[in-house]
Amino acid sequence: MDTEGLSIICAGLGIAEEDENGNRVGYSKGEYCLDNLKDLLRFLRRDDPQTRDVFKQVCKWNTVSKDLIPIIEHCQDDYNLVLNAVKVLVFLTMPIERTSNDISQQIEYLWQLKSSITCSDVVAVIVSLLESPLESLECETFTEDDWKLVQLVLTLFRNVLAIQEISLQQKSGGSANQFLFLRDRFLELLFRENLMDLILVITQHIDGSCGFLHHDNFLLLEIFHYIFMGQEPELVANVHLKGFKVDEDTKSSVGSLKSIMEKEEEKRRLSRLWNMVRHSQFSGTFTRLTMDGSKAVLKGNPTSASLDILLKHHNVPRGPIKRIAWDIGRLASTKDKILELLHDFVSQFLLGAYNVLMQSIREDIEKEHHAVQNSDVIMFFQVAQFVTSYQYHKLLKSKPNVGSDNFEAFVDKDADSTIFGGDICGPITQSMNESMFQLVILKWRSAFEGLKETNNYKFLSAAGSLMKTMICMLDLVLKLLPEESKEPRTARILLYKLFYDQTDQGITQFLLNLIRMFDTHKQPKSDLADLIEIIHKIVRLMENLQAHGTLRVARKSRRKRKKSLSNKETDNEQLGDCVTIQNEFGISNNEQSADMSICQQGSRTSTNTNGKENIVIPAPVDEPEMSVSQTRKLTGSLPEMGNKGADQANDDLCYGTDDSSGEEQLDATDEVDFNLSTLISAFANNNIIHRLCWLLKFYKSNSASTNHYIICLLRRITEDLELSPMLYQISILTIFHNILVEQKSCPSKEYENLIDFLKSLVRRMLRKMKIQPLLFVEALFWKTRKECHFINAEYLVHEIGSLKKGGKNWDNVPGDGEIGSSQANRWNVRSIADALGEDEADVVISHELGYQRKKRDNMEENSDKAGGIKENPDNFSMSQSMEHESESAPRRKRRPLLGAEMEGKIKDLYEKFKDDQHCSRLIAEVIDPDGDVSPAQVSNKLRKLGLKVAPRKKMLYVDEHDRFKVSCLSVFLHILE
């Protein structure tokens, strides 16, 4: 950089005229002022974007305040001079390149430029330049020169509005309040000079006859983005409500970093004072051995360390420490005047300019224009989210009269069924129609798939926040307006189209994948809260939508080659008249084998001419049948879907991708009845449960609605699906324990619902652990749904057995799942060692348990194919156990008694076979070749006669997983001893 030449150029611009007090009263431009401005432009154009030496030097010399601003203010008659001065300001205020050097210094210089512009009169002069172009625009004589001038002025104000970043040094220095005040003051200046109104006028003419302004649609979008940046839509929407006050806590968030540092310093000071003891001068290096076996190195006075080191376990970090991503809070305006101005501005923006701008930009994004970048799409999503959220909160508080006839005027049966035309979504139609939903989902999915290469988590955050707001808006439409009006019907149709695809390519599966793959170290927890709210709203909306009639959705079916398919159909025809479709989605492969099919009572099958089964799944029994009027209402509300494959399904409708058989498989999609329990069952995934409980750990910083959504989803898993053992995991139980301990020491009514759920869950878990001590070892592992069903079934079987043994009032047993709650006084205290079985046994049990498991699986499969009702695993196990006992008792053979007359013969045979390992079996075969006398009877008889019998180990059927758990329990018992 030629510093000397740059100095000569800046010095030749002119000299300021000052009075006796040093105040500027005029400006004398230099002889070559215009040429120097052009030379300065050349310097700025050639400035290195990495170092920006010219920018830093010009700002260091304060050229803007001393020369450029006075030229614009005092030389208004010289059009070329003012125009070139504005061009210099545009270059100086350009946004910072994130790859450049010394960003904090550049931020400080930009705030100085913004302060100089705000405290001067240049805004009024620059706005006056737009007078002639706007007249031409109104007269439809808008030329290219007019467009370039408008573009120049808009770019300058875009640059100044974009100066909002506050560095950490500025926050810690306490200057953040000053910058926020400057931001609000500049906004107020733009409103006072009517620039905001001009921006709205220009936006409305984007798609005008001239066609020039269409090229600036993204420039206008950036202006709206920076106007709304940092503002809270709820505060802006509710500013006109009676008694509304801005939350004072917003002010404290400005100096959050400084306050945190002060608190930490105060803690250190108090710690030093508290640790001062009598022998404070003793020093050295010591090693302290804690109770858990870890070592802590102490330097200085050993008594100055906290005594908690003896009690708490110190986690030694291995490898790099990963921190949780922070939520970047908004620094919203706290002045009511600014909020009122923004409220009026957004209201005018929604009168027509918003839909024009959104449609223009959405079409460019859909066409994949070469100039569109990911940052532009993010801004588009953020502006749409702000305006939609503003409309949502405004309507949520106002609550329009749903009984009025105003909405009937918008009912147009010939109009497009996915275009909103009412008062609620009409002003934001272009960001609430089907095209917008599809665009958001498409870009969201594309960003998620390319996350490993781009690490663009900001895109995921923007898309998730927008989708959450759009879903909430649809929910509000269905709540506020009568069902027969146009907007609720449009909302129902739009929801049906969005969630019709229930395959792995649908939005539902995509949302579940986002929760599973959520990275707590790179994504803020607010993104996870948005995803959970979306899932909660979707379940409730689909549940309400199903109330209007049976829904047909697309599900993925896996069909094999014709040969195997025909054989399977032949087998299905021989099994009976009822077929159960297992239609799980969003589950891992290791859990698919554990899922049980759900068969509705009264399902009917018929065979068509092609030999395929037409399966009709009626609505649940507790739901009322649809009347004729409701059927007509549903027909008018929901679009007609193609019937191709509507009633055809095979019994392999699952999402598994197991190709171990090597057979050729063809993916196909069938249209089946929507089942809400199938949708809810997708939540029973260990990764999803882990994310839910992880977010629950921050229950104090979460919003009340976020905690409510988490509890609702966990209740659906534990109560609706009866899979509470999935939460019996040590990491989850640690979170629950910390919450319960905190609320016990300092209870709060705000978290009463959360505490009630956790207490109920823990109490049920302890009841099961009392009966099944092996669950203490199971808490170390994540459990599949099949294992949860077995745990529940074993608990129920034990409770039924204890009731049959100890109670005569069998008829008074309650019928719900908590059978053992009223019989707690009959439980016997059992040792944890009982789970390992006895050391010795008289009877050789040859894989009896494995046979029972196999038999139970076969009975479940046969009952499904025979049309039985599988209400839940607990009831299934209870009914199976009772039926097995009732059927097997009368068929049991009576063993012949070994009386006194057989003792002599047994003693003789014992002398003959006593050295054989199978002595009892050989004696039994000699006494009764037909096998009526069992080796166990002979063994017992020999013990009564005082003869020694070789003991045998009890043989149990256990798989590798059970052996590992038993070995863990053995080690645990050895440690306790």
Side-chain angles (χ1 to χ4, degrees):
M1 182 186 69
D2 185 6
T3 307
E4 183 179 356
L6 182 62
S7 176
I8 295 174
I9 290 173
C10 293
L13 292 175
I15 301 175
E17 299 177 359
E18 300 179 351
D19 56 8
E20 298 177 354
N21 298 326
N23 299 323
R24 190 180 72 236
V25 294
Y27 186 82
S28 299
K29 63 179 181 179
E31 182 180 359
Y32 302 102
C33 180
L34 181 60
D35 295 335
N36 288 329
L37 284 176
K38 293 180 179 179
D39 291 338
L40 183 57
L41 279 175
R42 294 189 188 97
F43 265 92
L44 292 172
R45 286 194 184 100
R46 298 172 183 175
D47 193 10
D48 186 3
Q50 188 70 26
T51 60
R52 298 195 71 179
D53 294 330
V54 177
F55 164 78
K56 293 177 182 177
Q57 194 63 46
V58 171
C59 292
K60 185 178 181 180
W61 291 337
N62 201 14
T63 306
V64 174
S65 298
K66 292 193 303 182
D67 297 300
L68 294 179
I69 290 179
I71 288 174
I72 297 175
E73 290 180 344
H74 298 282
C75 303
Q76 302 180 24
D77 297 336
D78 193 339
Y79 177 79
N80 290 329
L81 198 63
V82 173
L83 185 62
N84 282 274
V86 172
K87 291 180 181 179
V88 174
L89 282 179
V90 170
F91 275 97
L92 288 175
T93 57
M94 290 296 289
I96 301 174
E97 292 287 340
R98 307 315 302 180
T99 58
S100 60
N101 302 330
D102 202 2
I103 293 180
S104 60
Q105 183 65 40
Q106 295 184 50
I107 293 175
E108 186 175 351
Y109 283 142
L110 286 177
W111 278 108
Q112 292 179 2
L113 295 178
K114 188 170 186 176
S115 176
S116 301
I117 295 173
T118 305
C119 298
S120 63
D121 297 331
V122 296
V123 174
V125 178
I126 296 174
V127 170
S128 64
L129 297 176
L130 296 176
E131 182 178 357
S132 177
L134 291 178
E135 290 180 357
S136 301
L137 182 64
E138 185 178 0
C139 300
E140 297 184 356
T141 57
F142 197 72
T143 62
E144 185 176 358
D145 293 335
D146 296 332
W147 167 58
K148 290 181 179 180
L149 180 58
V150 171
Q151 187 183 58
L152 178 67
V153 174
L154 292 179
T155 304
L156 174 62
F157 289 114
R158 187 276 314 269
N159 293 345
V160 181
L161 284 170
I163 304 174
Q164 298 194 27
E165 184 177 0
I166 303 175
S167 63
L168 292 177
Q169 293 84 350
Q170 293 169 338
K171 288 182 180 179
S172 60
S175 57
N177 280 325
Q178 300 176 5
F179 293 140
L180 291 180
F181 176 77
L182 181 60
R183 181 196 67 180
D184 294 344
R185 186 179 175 186
F186 183 74
L187 273 179
E188 189 176 354
L189 177 63
L190 296 184
F191 280 110
R192 186 169 62 248
E193 298 299 336
N194 298 322
L195 179 65
M196 296 296 198
D197 296 333
L198 296 180
I199 292 174
L200 293 177
V201 172
I202 295 173
T203 305
Q204 292 176 352
H205 289 81
I206 285 180
D207 293 332
S209 57
C210 60
F212 291 109
L213 293 177
H214 182 79
H215 300 286
D216 295 331
N217 54 357
F218 281 95
L219 177 61
L220 290 168
L221 178 70
E222 289 185 72
I223 293 176
F224 285 109
H225 169 71
Y226 290 120
I227 290 174
F228 300 146
M229 177 179 285
Q231 306 296 338
E232 286 288 349
E234 185 176 2
L235 297 180
V236 177
N238 300 331
V239 68
H240 285 302
L241 295 180
K242 185 177 180 180
F244 173 79
K245 295 294 181 181
V246 179
D247 190 3
E248 296 296 335
D249 294 337
T250 310
K251 299 180 180 179
S252 62
S253 64
V254 176
S256 58
L257 182 59
K258 183 179 179 180
S259 62
I260 290 174
M261 294 174 64
E262 292 176 353
K263 290 179 180 179
E264 290 296 329
E265 183 62 30
E266 182 68 16
K267 287 181 180 179
R268 284 201 236 30
R269 187 182 67 84
L270 293 176
S271 178
R272 287 194 298 266
L273 293 176
W274 182 75
N275 289 323
M276 292 296 292
V277 293
R278 180 178 179 182
H279 305 286
S280 60
Q281 301 301 322
F282 293 164
S283 63
T285 302
F286 305 90
T287 301
R288 175 173 288 168
L289 184 65
T290 59
M291 295 179 63
D292 58 0
S294 61
K295 295 181 179 180
V297 179
L298 304 177
K299 293 184 178 181
N301 187 2
T303 60
S304 63
S306 175
L307 296 178
D308 292 341
I309 195 172
L310 297 175
L311 303 177
K312 295 182 180 180
H313 171 69
H314 291 266
N315 294 324
V316 180
R318 304 296 182 186
I321 300 176
K322 293 185 177 181
R323 297 182 179 179
I324 298 175
W326 283 18
D327 282 311
I328 302 177
R330 295 182 178 181
L331 302 177
S333 299
T334 58
K335 296 175 60 177
D336 289 343
K337 184 176 181 180
I338 295 296
L339 295 177
E340 291 175 359
L341 291 173
L342 287 173
H343 178 275
D344 297 337
F345 175 73
V346 178
S347 298
Q348 294 177 5
F349 186 35
L350 290 176
L351 293 179
Y354 175 77
N355 283 331
V356 174
L357 180 63
M358 291 292 110
Q359 182 179 4
S360 173
I361 295 176
R362 194 192 73 242
E363 290 175 353
D364 288 346
I365 296 176
E366 290 175 345
K367 295 176 183 177
E368 297 183 355
H369 195 274
H370 66 278
V372 179
Q373 301 178 356
N374 282 334
S375 59
D376 299 327
V377 181
I378 292 176
M379 285 188 182
F380 174 65
F381 286 170
Q382 290 176 342
V383 171
Q385 189 274 334
F386 180 89
V387 177
T388 307
S389 181
Y390 167 85
Q391 183 76 351
Y392 171 80
H393 289 291
K394 182 179 179 181
L395 295 170
L396 186 64
K397 297 295 182 181
S398 61
K399 291 184 179 180
N401 184 15
V402 296
S404 61
D405 297 333
N406 296 332
F407 303 106
E408 298 297 332
F410 299 103
V411 178
D412 185 6
K413 296 181 180 179
D414 298 330
D416 189 354
S417 59
T418 60
I419 300 298
F420 290 97
D423 289 341
I424 293 184
C425 292
I428 54 174
T429 300
Q430 296 302 323
S431 60
M432 285 296 296
N433 55 16
E434 184 180 0
S435 301
M436 185 66 177
F437 274 97
Q438 297 296 342
L439 176 64
V440 174
I441 295 171
L442 177 64
K443 293 297 182 180
W444 198 3
R445 189 188 297 272
S446 177
F448 178 70
E449 292 174 352
L451 200 58
K452 292 183 178 179
E453 292 78 12
T454 61
N455 285 328
N456 193 359
Y457 291 96
K458 187 178 180 181
F459 197 104
L460 296 182
S461 178
S465 180
L466 175 58
M467 179 59 68
K468 181 204 72 172
T469 308
M470 296 167 72
I471 294 294
C472 291
M473 195 67 194
L474 292 179
D475 185 30
L476 184 65
V477 169
L478 296 175
K479 286 181 179 179
L480 291 183
L481 301 182
E483 293 184 358
E484 295 300 330
S485 57
K486 179 181 178 180
E487 285 195 307
R489 291 194 298 111
T490 305
R492 287 196 295 270
I493 295 173
L494 186 56
L495 283 172
Y496 183 71
K497 286 186 175 182
L498 290 176
F499 302 104
Y500 171 77
D501 187 2
Q502 292 293 334
T503 64
D504 53 355
Q505 299 299 322
I507 180 63
T508 307
Q509 174 66 19
F510 174 63
L511 291 172
L512 295 176
N513 289 336
L514 284 172
I515 297 178
R516 287 195 203 95
M517 304 299 294
F518 186 84
D519 192 345
T520 58
H521 307 294
K522 298 180 181 179
Q523 297 176 263
K525 61 186 181 66
S526 59
D527 294 355
L528 181 58
D530 291 341
L531 293 174
I532 293 174
E533 184 173 356
I534 293 174
I535 291 292
H536 173 78
K537 296 280 186 181
I538 287 174
V539 172
R540 192 162 53 80
L541 287 173
M542 295 299 290
E543 190 174 7
N544 296 335
L545 190 61
Q546 192 181 23
H548 290 78
T550 305
L551 300 179
R552 302 288 290 177
V553 294
R555 293 280 172 80
K556 182 180 178 181
S557 63
R558 192 176 65 185
R559 297 178 179 176
K560 299 182 179 180
R561 292 183 299 183
K562 292 183 178 180
K563 182 178 180 180
S564 60
L565 182 62
S566 60
N567 295 336
K568 183 175 291 185
E569 289 177 355
T570 305
D571 296 338
N572 290 341
E573 291 176 357
Q574 297 175 356
L575 286 176
D577 297 330
C578 198
V579 176
T580 301
I581 302 177
Q582 177 179 348
N583 206 355
E584 299 288 347
F585 61 94
I587 54 179
S588 58
N589 291 336
N590 63 340
E591 295 178 5
Q592 288 174 4
S593 60
D595 301 334
M596 301 298 179
S597 302
I598 301 176
C599 183
Q600 300 290 346
Q601 185 179 9
S603 299
R604 302 180 301 274
T605 61
S606 60
T607 305
N608 56 16
T609 56
N610 297 329
K612 297 183 179 180
E613 293 177 343
N614 295 332
I615 304 171
V616 181
I617 304 179
V621 179
D622 55 349
E623 292 184 3
E625 296 183 358
M626 287 173 42
S627 60
V628 178
S629 60
Q630 290 176 337
T631 306
R632 293 176 180 175
K633 184 190 303 183
L634 177 64
T635 305
S637 301
L638 301 179
E640 295 182 0
M641 294 295 172
N643 293 327
K644 182 177 69 172
D647 296 325
Q648 298 176 0
N650 56 11
D651 53 355
D652 197 17
L653 291 175
C654 62
Y655 286 107
T657 58
D658 187 7
D659 297 330
S660 59
S661 61
E663 295 182 352
E664 180 183 359
Q665 297 175 351
L666 299 176
D667 292 338
T669 301
D670 287 339
E671 190 177 71
V672 299
D673 288 346
F674 174 74
N675 192 350
L676 185 64
S677 61
T678 304
L679 174 61
I680 297 175
S681 64
F683 306 152
N685 180 275
N686 290 325
N687 289 330
I688 294 178
I689 292 175
H690 181 254
R691 298 296 183 273
L692 292 175
C693 297
W694 176 84
L695 184 59
L696 193 63
K697 180 170 61 175
F698 307 96
Y699 71 102
K700 287 187 176 180
S701 60
N702 295 339
S703 63
S705 59
T706 299
N707 291 333
H708 172 69
Y709 300 146
I710 296 174
I711 295 302
C712 288
L713 291 179
L714 290 179
R715 285 188 185 277
R716 290 186 180 274
I717 295 172
T718 58
E719 297 177 5
D720 297 355
L721 300 178
E722 297 184 356
L723 294 175
S724 57
M726 295 193 77
L727 274 64
Y728 302 167
Q729 209 275 337
I730 190 65
S731 60
I732 296 178
L733 295 177
T734 303
I735 296 174
F736 293 168
H737 173 263
N738 294 334
I739 296 175
L740 292 173
V741 169
E742 289 179 2
Q743 289 304 307
K744 184 179 181 180
S745 60
C746 185
S748 175
K749 292 185 178 180
E750 182 180 359
Y751 311 113
E752 187 175 356
N753 187 28
L754 170 61
I755 300 304
D756 292 342
F757 169 75
L758 295 183
K759 286 183 178 179
S760 176
L761 178 69
V762 172
R763 285 169 182 167
R764 290 198 300 266
M765 180 191 69
L766 293 177
R767 293 193 193 109
K768 294 177 182 179
M769 284 183 169
K770 190 173 183 179
I771 298 173
Q772 309 173 51
L774 200 60
L775 286 180
F776 286 99
V777 180
E778 290 278 2
L780 299 174
F781 311 96
W782 294 98
K783 285 166 280 296
T784 62
R785 280 182 275 192
K786 183 177 182 180
E787 294 174 342
C788 295
H789 294 327
F790 285 160
I791 292 172
N792 291 333
E794 186 176 352
Y795 173 71
L796 272 181
V797 168
H798 181 275
E799 289 300 294
I800 294 173
S802 63
L803 289 174
K804 292 173 67 176
K805 290 179 181 178
K808 298 181 180 179
N809 52 349
W810 173 257
D811 296 334
N812 297 328
V813 176
D816 56 353
E818 298 294 334
I819 296 178
S821 60
S822 62
Q823 305 294 334
N825 56 347
R826 297 177 184 170
W827 292 350
N828 297 323
V829 179
R830 296 182 60 185
S831 172
I832 192 173
D834 294 341
L836 296 176
E838 299 178 356
D839 293 337
E840 297 179 354
D842 300 332
V843 184
V844 178
I845 304 175
S846 57
H847 304 282
E848 183 68 16
L849 182 58
Y851 171 76
Q852 291 178 359
R853 288 186 179 179
K854 185 176 180 181
K855 183 177 180 181
R856 176 169 54 190
D857 295 339
N858 294 335
M859 291 180 64
E860 290 174 356
E861 182 179 359
N862 294 335
S863 63
D864 291 342
K865 294 181 179 180
I869 303 176
K870 183 187 170 220
E871 298 175 354
N872 54 60
D874 297 340
N875 297 335
F876 174 81
S877 300
M878 178 179 65
S879 60
Q880 178 186 353
S881 176
M882 296 175 62
E883 181 181 357
H884 178 71
E885 291 179 3
S886 61
E887 292 181 357
S888 61
R891 299 179 183 177
R892 188 177 301 157
K893 282 187 176 183
R894 289 185 174 274
R895 299 288 185 182
L897 297 178
L898 299 180
E901 65 277 3
M902 300 292 293
E903 292 180 359
K905 187 176 182 180
I906 292 176
K907 289 180 181 180
D908 297 337
L909 293 175
Y910 173 76
E911 294 296 334
K912 181 179 179 180
F913 300 114
K914 65 179 180 180
D915 296 331
D916 196 289
Q917 184 179 3
H918 306 286
C919 176
S920 300
R921 181 170 59 81
L922 295 175
I923 294 174
E925 291 177 355
V926 173
I927 293 175
D928 189 357
D930 296 335
D932 293 338
V933 177
S934 66
Q937 288 180 289
V938 175
S939 178
N940 291 333
K941 193 64 175 178
L942 291 175
R943 287 181 183 276
K944 291 180 180 180
L945 295 176
L947 302 178
K948 185 177 180 181
V949 181
R952 294 180 181 274
K953 296 292 184 179
K954 185 176 181 179
M955 299 173 60
L956 295 176
Y957 176 80
V958 290
D959 54 11
E960 296 297 332
H961 190 58
D962 293 334
R963 288 196 187 97
F964 178 65
K965 293 178 181 178
V966 172
S967 62
C968 291
L969 184 57
S970 302
V971 174
F972 178 69
L973 292 175
H974 179 70
I975 295 174
L976 291 179
E977 293 175 357

